[in-house]
């Protein structure tokens, strides 16, 4: 009789496929049912690949409540907990319940166009708001309805704590411990002139505050990118960015330490 249901996703590289085949065989021998697609009845999602594959899996499963663990066959593998050579240890520790769940916050933005249409985008790492490539963009930015700055530059990025080590970090943003529930707003190539007084470094916002963005001109096309998924809009009236009520439950084993991982990956 099968004991539990596990969904496995992979980025389809040769190494990932080999790991999936070997892992599937071992799990089936232990009495698990293994699927290559997501089911809400799954007890665990396993993602084999790098951080890109992890984010793709999260979106494909629509930010599931089901715990997820990653096996790193990519490069950085910041979200990925398990090395391919350690998956036997992973199975043993999972069977023995020797793990915790790290609850990761997400960020969402609501785009309202001039005709009243509203669209929502959610990201685990970040949301970026930009204009056409090679064109600067101009925003009026507020925090909880209070005007803060007139921004001019390539755009802005709003990162979660978990996403602080991704694109945000390459822009010069701060690394934030994922146990802190906040949003980090980081400018992309900001201008600071007499006309536009843009912040030139990141600002940190408590999770309960909302970032408001109003384009100076609704005629300019604006692009919303959530975890690498780009959507273009015309005639944008306003954009609101805030912490989402959706979470990702990342499975972490007892020897996991965030700052050790930062040291190993970046130093």
């Amino acid at each position: 009789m099968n004991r539990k249901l596990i969904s496995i996703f992979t980025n389809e590289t040769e190494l990932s496929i080999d790991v999936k085949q070997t892992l599937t065989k071992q799990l089936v021998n232990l009495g698990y049912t293994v699927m290559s697609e997501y089911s809400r009845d799954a007890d665990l999602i396993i993602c084999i690949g790098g951080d890109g594959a992890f984010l793709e899996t999260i979106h494909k499963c629509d930010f599931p409540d089901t715990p997820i663990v990653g096996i790193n066959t990519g490069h950085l593998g910041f979200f990925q907990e398990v090395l391919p050579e350690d998956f036997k240890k992973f199975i043993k520790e999972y069977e023995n319940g020797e793990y915790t769940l790290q609850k990761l916050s997400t960020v969402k933005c609501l785009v309202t166009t001039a005709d009243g249409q509203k669209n929502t985008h959610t990201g685990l790492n970040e949301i970026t708001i930009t204009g056409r490539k090679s064109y600067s963009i101009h925003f009026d930015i507020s925090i909880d309805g209070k005007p803060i700055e007139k921004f001019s530059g390539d755009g802005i990025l709003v990162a979660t704590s978990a996403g602080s080590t991704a694109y945000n970090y390459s822009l010069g943003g701060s690394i934030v411990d994922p146990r802190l529930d906040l949003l980090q707003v980081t400018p992309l190539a900001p201008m600071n002139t007499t006309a536009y007084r843009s912040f030139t470094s990141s600002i940190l916002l408590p999770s309960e505050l909302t970032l408001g963005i109003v384009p100076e001109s609704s005629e300019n096309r604006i692009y919303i990118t959530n975890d690498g998924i780009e959507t273009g809009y015309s005639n944008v009236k306003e954009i609101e960015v805030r912490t989402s009520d959706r979470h990702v439950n990342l499975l972490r084993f007892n020897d996991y330490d965030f700052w050790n991982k930062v040291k190993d990956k970046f130093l």
Side-chain angles (χ1 to χ4, degrees):
M1 180 177 178
N2 290 329
R3 298 161 54 197
K4 289 186 177 181
L5 178 62
I6 294 180
S7 296
I8 299 183
F9 293 86
T10 173
N11 61 2
E12 299 300 327
T13 66
E14 184 176 350
L15 175 57
S16 296
I17 292 171
D18 288 344
V19 171
K20 178 183 177 181
Q21 290 174 344
T22 305
L23 177 61
T24 298
K25 182 177 180 180
Q26 295 219 8
L27 290 171
V28 170
N29 288 340
L30 289 169
Y32 289 89
T33 296
V34 178
M35 302 176 62
S36 294
E37 61 274 344
Y38 175 60
S39 168
R40 292 187 180 275
D41 295 324
D43 297 279
L44 179 67
I45 298 169
I46 299 174
C47 174
I48 304 171
D51 286 335
F54 183 88
L55 291 172
E56 184 178 342
T57 297
I58 290 296
H59 283 268
K60 188 178 293 185
C61 299
D62 193 26
F63 295 87
D65 293 327
T66 305
I68 181 169
V69 66
I71 297 178
N72 185 31
T73 58
H75 298 289
L76 188 62
F78 210 88
F79 286 120
Q80 308 297 74
E81 177 75 0
V82 183
L83 294 175
E85 59 268 26
D86 292 336
F87 70 78
K88 289 184 179 179
K89 178 174 177 282
F90 145 62
I91 294 174
K92 179 180 178 182
E93 292 181 344
Y94 178 68
E95 287 258 283
N96 294 335
E98 299 172 4
Y99 61 85
T100 58
L101 294 180
Q102 185 180 33
K103 192 175 184 180
L104 301 180
S105 298
T106 61
V107 58
K108 70 175 180 180
C109 84
L110 175 65
V111 181
T112 303
T113 54
D115 59 3
Q117 291 190 23
K118 296 179 182 292
N119 294 280
T120 301
H121 303 271
T122 304
L124 174 60
N125 267 353
E126 76 277 311
I127 286 173
T128 59
I129 303 163
T130 58
R132 288 190 298 159
K133 291 178 174 60
S134 302
Y135 283 78
S136 60
I137 196 162
H138 311 294
F139 295 136
D140 289 330
I141 295 181
S142 62
I143 296 176
D144 261 14
K146 300 177 180 64
I148 296 297
E149 66 168 335
K150 282 185 171 294
F151 175 86
S152 181
D154 286 355
I156 62 170
L157 175 147
V158 185
T160 64
S161 296
S164 69
T165 53
Y167 187 16
N168 171 76
Y169 182 67
S170 70
L171 293 172
S174 299
I175 294 176
V176 177
D177 192 306
R179 288 168 290 194
L180 297 175
D181 194 9
L182 54 79
L183 294 177
Q184 182 169 182
V185 184
T186 302
L188 282 72
M191 301 179 193
N192 203 323
T193 67
T194 54
Y196 296 94
R197 306 298 293 174
S198 306
F199 287 116
T200 57
S201 61
S202 297
I203 59 174
L204 303 178
L205 299 180
S207 60
E208 64 269 20
L209 297 187
T210 299
L211 186 74
I213 300 167
V214 177
E216 186 177 73
S217 172
S218 62
E219 296 178 0
N220 296 326
R221 192 158 176 82
I222 290 177
Y223 295 88
I224 307 296
T225 307
N226 55 321
D227 294 340
I229 304 167
E230 184 180 83
T231 307
Y233 288 95
S234 298
N235 300 314
V236 173
K237 180 181 178 182
E238 62 180 352
I239 301 168
E240 289 186 350
V241 186
R242 65 182 66 191
T243 300
S244 169
D245 57 3
R246 309 185 79 172
H247 294 83
V248 172
N249 294 306
L250 187 56
L251 193 146
R252 294 296 195 188
F253 295 103
N254 294 339
D255 59 355
Y256 168 77
D257 180 82
F258 171 74
W259 291 105
N260 274 337
K261 176 155 278 194
V262 168
K263 181 183 69 175
D264 291 343
K265 299 296 183 180
F266 293 122
L267 301 179

